[in-house]
Amino acid sequence: MQTYDRETTVDSPLEEVWAFNSRISGLEAVTPDWMHLRVERVIGPDGDPDPTVLESGSEIALSMRPFGVGPRQHWTSVITARERENGSAYFRDEMVHGPFDHWEHTHSFFADGDRTILRDH
């Protein structure tokens, strides 16, 4: 199975980076415009629409149309794990409907003084 790993350092403390990445607005902010992302629906683990925080069990339905070419691609993911400990945090989203046979994405966050190290796998 193909994998992709990336590490980035952000000049903001862990708490701020974690909070930013725990909201759907964070996903919208980091997705490049050329993807033409559209968030179709967000449902919290309790069934409430548009939760403030993407907790474990939240479902996110989106569509995208890279470069504005071809039909929109629809994608649904579920947050399957979300943990926060002293100095680190992570969450995992898994595609339940979309263009790939399997997609699992783990976002890990590590405090580094006033900075945060992000690892995507």
Side-chain angles (χ1 to χ4, degrees):
M1 177 180 301
Q2 294 287 336
T3 62
Y4 172 80
D5 292 287
R6 179 167 174 116
E7 183 173 300
T8 306
T9 301
V10 178
D11 287 327
S12 293
L14 174 64
E15 290 303 323
E16 290 179 22
V17 175
W18 177 242
F20 175 84
N21 283 275
S22 294
R23 298 183 305 266
I24 200 69
S25 59
L27 171 65
E28 292 172 316
V30 300
T31 302
D33 290 341
W34 59 264
M35 290 293 292
H36 297 278
L37 176 73
R38 184 185 309 154
V39 176
E40 305 288 352
R41 174 181 79 254
V42 182
I43 300 171
D46 54 5
D48 287 340
D50 302 318
T52 303
V53 173
L54 298 171
E55 299 286 352
S56 186
S58 295
E59 181 179 286
I60 303 136
L62 12 117
S63 67
M64 58 202 95
R65 191 170 179 232
F67 303 107
V69 176
R72 293 195 76 74
Q73 299 172 8
H74 295 271
W75 180 304
T76 303
S77 289
V78 173
I79 306 295
T80 58
R82 186 176 193 274
E83 300 288 333
R84 171 76 172 90
E85 297 177 356
N86 190 23
S88 67
Y90 83 96
F91 73 93
R92 179 175 302 114
D93 59 281
E94 296 183 32
M95 182 191 70
V96 294
H97 171 76
F100 303 110
D101 289 336
H102 179 78
W103 176 273
E104 182 178 289
H105 186 185
T106 302
H107 315 254
S108 302
F109 306 81
F110 303 93
D112 183 26
D114 289 338
R115 302 180 318 166
T116 303
I117 298 169
L118 275 74
R119 290 188 187 128
D120 282 298
H121 175 80

